[in-house]
Amino acid sequence: MNSQVLNKRKNELLDQQTLVLNQAQEAKRNLTDVEEATFTASTKEIEGIDQTLARMAAISKGKAEIGVPTSDPFIAPIAKAKNNTRVGFSDEYITEFWNHFKNPSKGISNAALGENAPTYVGTDGGYLVPTRTDPTIPALAVNECSARKLSQVIVTDMDLKLPYQATKTVAAAKAESRTSNVPFAGTPPSFNTVTLSAYMAGVQVQATWELLQDVGALESFITADINRGMYNFEENAFINGSGTGTALGYLNGAQAANSAALGINGILDLTGDLKQAYYANASFLMNRQTIIALFKAQIAASQFQTYITYDSQGAARLLGYPVFFSSAMPVFAASPSVSGAVLFGDFAAGWVIGDRGGSGIQAKVLDQVSAVNGVTVILGYRRTDQRCRIQEAVQLMTVTG
């Protein structure tokens, strides 16, 4: 657990307590039951944070003391001659002596003290070879995630009703009122709402105290990998969700435009299905394998128009519009049959992601639950939801070949 995160949380709790006391003082009253309970709960959490910080400091101190010598080195005495003068070998002699043993051309073999590489085990000297593990922990490749970059992201503290226009105003011709009155026709607009809720997702990682103490890079690696795991889980929900007990999912809520084989004709039809008002902020979303297949189809058809381009940073554009990639987007496959998908539109105008209580991934260190086993439990979680507000803002092309 990062001490900066703990100190930040502690500061937030102290600010909350200060605010409660100031409000009561300005009103010249005692704390209400609710305020008293909140104040007590904050005090208890602060004590827990202080205890965790103290333990983390103790662990850091212990790590620093590991490299400190525990005793004075032993230096063998040098023999003295009868006349009380020192007798010893010169540095040159010692160097030549050991080089003589190391050089096989001298005719001296010392095979009984080999290293027995590469395992470095055995009574012949392998146990004397020092070993060390590299302190860094390289992580596996991160999935490509784009839903949070494309959608509108807001913070919620309760279920939120998102209003939207369901139907447009429709005007109609009106005859002139002369001998009789002719009322205006047409229809007014209608409205509806969609509920943005919050659904919990998270993971727990258990680590022994010995491992946390001995591997300095483990703490930062675990917290970073929890973040990666959460983003991977949420990205799949934002793309493929059902809307029941989870996010709605682009593929479940976007407006179906067309179904076609992957090629420039289908892509052009897809862009034409989007209303012009959304073009200014429009972009494509697909799996990276899909644009590669599209590029290959362009080459195979000898279509040398550069409707797929890349800038100096490697960012792709298709027909001039930015292309974003998501590993959760499906890719067409003939056997077993899988339909691919390409999305095009203004995602921020049509889709909303709501993070309950803040967009940061919450982390909790539970050092008491499994303390009897010498295990610390690290929790990472976030409550979030995703809903479609304006369906026509994003168009879906189903890739069937």
Side-chain angles (χ1 to χ4, degrees), residues 178-211:
R178 298 189 64 172
T179 57
S180 62
N181 295 327
V182 179
F184 282 96
T187 57
S190 63
F191 304 93
N192 206 337
T193 61
V194 61
T195 302
L196 187 66
S197 189
Y199 301 101
M200 178 78 78
V203 65
Q204 65 163 307
V205 177
Q206 299 186 17
T208 65
W209 295 350
E210 294 87 349
L211 189 63

Side-chain angles (χ1 to χ4, degrees), residues 18 56 132 187 316 393:
T18 301
M56 292 172 63
R132 182 176 181 181
T187 57

Side-chain angles (χ1 to χ4, degrees), residues 276-345:
Q276 184 273 338
Y278 300 108
Y279 280 173
N281 297 313
S283 57
F284 287 95
L285 178 64
M286 64 185 73
N287 193 296
R288 187 173 291 272
Q289 296 180 40
T290 299
I291 199 172
I292 293 173
L294 182 61
F295 213 154
K296 291 169 67 177
Q298 176 187 2
I299 297 172
S302 299
Q303 297 172 341
F304 299 108
Q305 301 92 337
T306 55
Y307 57 80
I308 300 176
T309 59
Y310 293 88
D311 62 20
S312 58
Q313 283 75 42
R317 283 185 172 269
L318 177 55
L319 298 174
Y321 295 99
V323 180
F324 292 88
F325 299 106
S326 172
S327 300
M329 286 288 287
V331 179
F332 171 78
S335 180
S337 179
V338 177
S339 295
V342 176
L343 291 164
F344 177 68

